[in-house]
Amino acid sequence: MAEARERTLGPDHASTLASFNNLAALLTNKRDYEHAEPIFRKVLESQVRVLGPGHPTTLTTERSLAVMLQTKGDSAGAKALFQEMMDRQEKALGPDDPATLFSATNLANQLASEKNDAAAEPLLRRVIEARERQRGADDPETLTSVRDLAYLYQNKGDYAAAEPLLQRILKAQEHTLGAAHTADRGHHAESGERVARHGPRRGRRTAVHPRVAGAGAPFRQGASQ
């Protein structure tokens, strides 16, 4: 079907790209990474050219390709992809554009998963500062970035640095959610205290941002983030 649409509609038509993306997702689910990767890259190249590097559909394909690379154990490829997309978005859209910040977050989390905390930390701080300016200190997107930085400190054993960040999240949740969520607040307070005293449970986060869906999800052209 993908090849037929390419012949009939052209290689850059939305329906053609959607069909190829779904084919790549199917191949990924079958663990046929050798054939899935070039299809994802072909679609991504077309979407960057036609839709732009910050378009939600372009970002969806980028994340699907990154998930596939991580799944097959190619962390270097995933990191290179995130770096490439961040650089392209920064040039086209600016350093504080939400799409640029999203790719910066994915790159930082990939670096953190490789224990390259020295490179990940300034990226996460950059994202936090930009989101504080744009959305406010207590916005959920800002707090997600704060949590990412707290987890970085937690995973490298710097519990003194992680605790105030977790406490910041707790206070923001208290202010937003109110007294009806006392039990939830108690859970977070207990978690913060445990981190400060005993450290985290074992294991590191996946590199891709928590909002990212799996690569095998059906693709819909024009879907938002």
Side-chain angles (χ1 to χ4, degrees):
M1 179 181 291
E3 290 82 359
R5 286 184 174 177
E6 184 175 31
R7 289 192 301 270
T8 304
L9 302 173
D12 292 337
H13 191 277
S15 295
T16 302
L17 296 177
S19 294
F20 274 112
N21 218 322
N22 283 333
L23 175 60
L26 175 64
L27 292 170
T28 297
N29 285 338
K30 294 170 62 177
R31 299 184 181 181
D32 186 357
Y33 307 126
E34 180 181 357
H35 292 97
E37 181 176 348
I39 296 174
F40 270 135
R41 291 192 180 277
K42 174 183 177 180
V43 172
L44 182 59
E45 181 181 351
S46 294
Q47 289 171 341
V48 168
R49 184 176 63 255
V50 175
L51 301 175
H55 193 279
T57 302
T58 306
L59 297 177
T60 297
T61 302
E62 174 206 4
R63 295 192 294 270
S64 295
L65 174 56
V67 168
M68 189 220 70
L69 292 172
Q70 291 172 324
T71 301
K72 74 170 188 173
D74 186 2
S75 60
K79 180 170 64 179
L81 175 63
F82 288 137
Q83 182 73 61
E84 174 188 342
M85 293 299 296
M86 186 185 74
D87 292 344
R88 184 186 295 121
Q89 290 158 356
E90 189 171 41
K91 181 177 180 180
L93 306 171
D96 290 349
D97 186 87
T100 307
L101 298 177
F102 198 73
S103 290
T105 298
N106 283 333
L107 175 59
N109 287 338
Q110 176 64 44
L111 291 166
S113 75
E114 299 172 6
K115 300 186 178 180
N116 188 354
D117 298 329
E121 181 178 349
L123 276 175
L124 290 174
R125 289 194 174 277
R126 164 189 161 185
V127 173
I128 291 170
E129 290 170 3
R131 285 179 169 163
E132 285 175 339
R133 289 193 303 270
Q134 295 173 356
R135 310 177 70 98
D138 293 345
D139 183 86
E141 291 287 340
T142 305
L143 295 177
T144 294
S145 299
V146 172
R147 183 198 63 194
D148 288 340
L149 182 58
Y151 286 170
L152 181 146
Y153 287 135
Q154 178 178 331
N155 284 328
K156 72 175 183 176
D158 189 351
Y159 312 127
E163 183 179 11
L165 297 176
L166 295 173
Q167 290 293 343
R168 170 181 169 178
I169 296 170
L170 173 61
K171 289 178 181 178
Q173 290 173 335
E174 288 176 339
H175 177 74
T176 303
L177 300 176
H181 294 263
T182 302
D184 185 56
R185 292 200 308 272
H187 169 73
H188 284 286
E190 180 182 353
S191 298
E193 182 179 0
R194 178 182 57 79
V195 168
R197 293 183 180 179
H198 307 297
R201 294 188 177 92
R202 298 179 65 183
R204 298 185 66 88
R205 293 170 297 139
T206 57
V208 176
H209 192 276
R211 288 166 52 190
V212 176
F219 175 82
R220 294 178 178 83
Q221 185 77 12
S224 62
Q225 295 184 75

